[in-house]
Amino acid sequence: MSKIKTKKDMRITVDHHLEEDVKKKIVIDTAVDGKTGKIDFNELKSGGFIKQRQKDLFTVRLRCPGGRIPVKKLKKIAEVADKYGGDYVHLSFRQSLEIPYVNYKTFNGMIEELKEVDQNIASCGPRVRVPTACSGCEYNPNGLSDTQKMANVVNEKFFGYRCNHKFKISFSGCPIDCARTSEMDLGFQGAVFPEWHEDPCTGCTICASACLEGAITPHPKTGKPIFDSSKCLYCSDCIRACPTNAWRQGKTGHVVRVGGRHGRHPLNAAIIAKFVSDEDVPKVIEGILEWYKKNGEGKGRIRIGEILMEPGNIESLAKHLEGVLGDNAIKKPRPPEPVRINKFD
Amino acid sequence: MSNVNIKANSEIEIDDSINLSGEVCPMTFVLTKMRLDALKPGQHLEVVLPAGEPMRNVPISVKEEGHKILKVEKMGNMFRLIIEKS
């Protein structure tokens, strides 16, 4: 158990150890290298050890925030996988590296060896999961936000926080949304509002060619842009393309999506805010987790998206976040929408 | 290749010229970059580009590599750019 104090003084208790519905500890004896010890099976369940079909064998999921693994760690992981696992490693759909075919009797030794390079084990179960993120703004030309930095902030601050159900957070650097923020319980996507300045504009029309959304039409005579902000996705292509710096970066931050999920019955997340700053992201997460806890009480394993589809709840969440979101809030947010992928007739 | 006729520009001196009307991305930028690499800083390259994807991507890449686009002219479905090497 570790306690994290956040700015807002909300106490977040990270509990990697117990499932709510399992009170009894199931303890088994293990023998590793001649030494015997005990392993708590519940710890395994919440700690990223996933039972395989094969007797005694588990897949060990590593904690890789943003899908980024320093090469030094990777070398050690390869060594550990070779020693304790099977012939391969697997990349999970949420960017974590998984080592399959590990015998539970060797867990302790494996954990110790991974700790040498500060490599931790991931989580499963009803809690905030390892955050995912796209490749990062340092080298991806489309990147508008530092998704890798933000994934680390979430990993440090919120990983493991107990919820009604799993809670997935992701960061995309631009509206292409590679990190699928619309399918997450909570997603943040980089956005920049473009501001046009008339003086430096030469009417070259490059911005109109650069805009994929038809938000910029060149004036028939002057070539200067006619901007329809309702079509703008805040991708910043016009700013990047403009040869004379007439388009400039205006309000910048994250679009906030909440209540998405994938699985059998996917939900398309609700957009509740835009241009939320990096500094406000932890406050938004805290606010949403608070609301989820309060409104999920007594409802058992339910995702936040399902709660948000109940009448009045998206408004209730908006109200709860009023103070944090301020002017960045979407005025009339719509609840998450079901996406039917398993409809056969 | 298209029949676009590249006219000399009276205001800006052109040091080299390339017609990319038959090319697609990423070759449009690669060929532009190769021509720019051969120029000296301050010299000018004239590029004729098809509208659509090449015209969307090449100016962004040229700017990101630090060069300056001095002039843009629309000629039917083509664009004519004049780029100053940085």
Side-chain angles (χ1 to χ4, degrees), chain B residues 6-66:
Chain B
I6 301 173
K7 288 178 201 151
N9 190 295
S10 53
E11 305 149 47
I12 305 168
E13 200 181 310
I14 308 291
D15 298 288
D16 194 7
S17 182
I18 182 169
N19 187 330
L20 297 170
S21 48
E23 301 292 343
V24 292
C25 293
M27 285 316 288
T28 44
F29 177 62
V30 173
L31 293 169
T32 305
K33 188 174 158 53
M34 283 168 68
R35 291 295 182 100
L36 281 167
D37 284 349
L39 293 180
K40 291 182 189 125
Q43 285 190 312
H44 301 143
L45 174 69
E46 177 183 56
V47 183
V48 172
L49 272 177
E53 206 199 358
M55 186 50 196
R56 170 178 147 73
N57 291 318
V58 172
I60 293 180
S61 304
V62 163
K63 186 182 167 189
E64 271 163 4
E65 301 242 326

Side-chain angles (χ1 to χ4, degrees), chain A residues 196 201-211 216-226 238 241-244 247, chain B residues 51 55-56 59 69 71-75 78-81:
Chain A
W196 180 67
C201 181
T202 60
C204 77
T205 76
I206 282 183
C207 56
S209 292
C211 179
I216 300 174
T217 321
H219 187 280
K221 281 186 185 145
T222 63
K224 293 194 174 183
I226 301 164
C238 52
C242 179
T244 60
W247 283 103
Chain B
M55 186 50 196
R56 170 178 147 73
I69 297 169
K71 204 173 165 70
V72 182
E73 272 172 25
K74 197 170 192 304
M75 309 184 296
M78 307 292 288
F79 282 88
R80 174 174 176 264
L81 308 185

Side-chain angles (χ1 to χ4, degrees), chain A residues 182-212:
Chain A
S182 65
E183 298 174 10
M184 298 293 145
D185 296 280
L186 181 52
F188 297 89
Q189 173 227 297
V192 171
F193 190 84
E195 274 178 6
W196 180 67
H197 299 259
E198 184 157 14
D199 278 356
C201 181
T202 60
C204 77
T205 76
I206 282 183
C207 56
S209 292
C211 179
L212 285 173

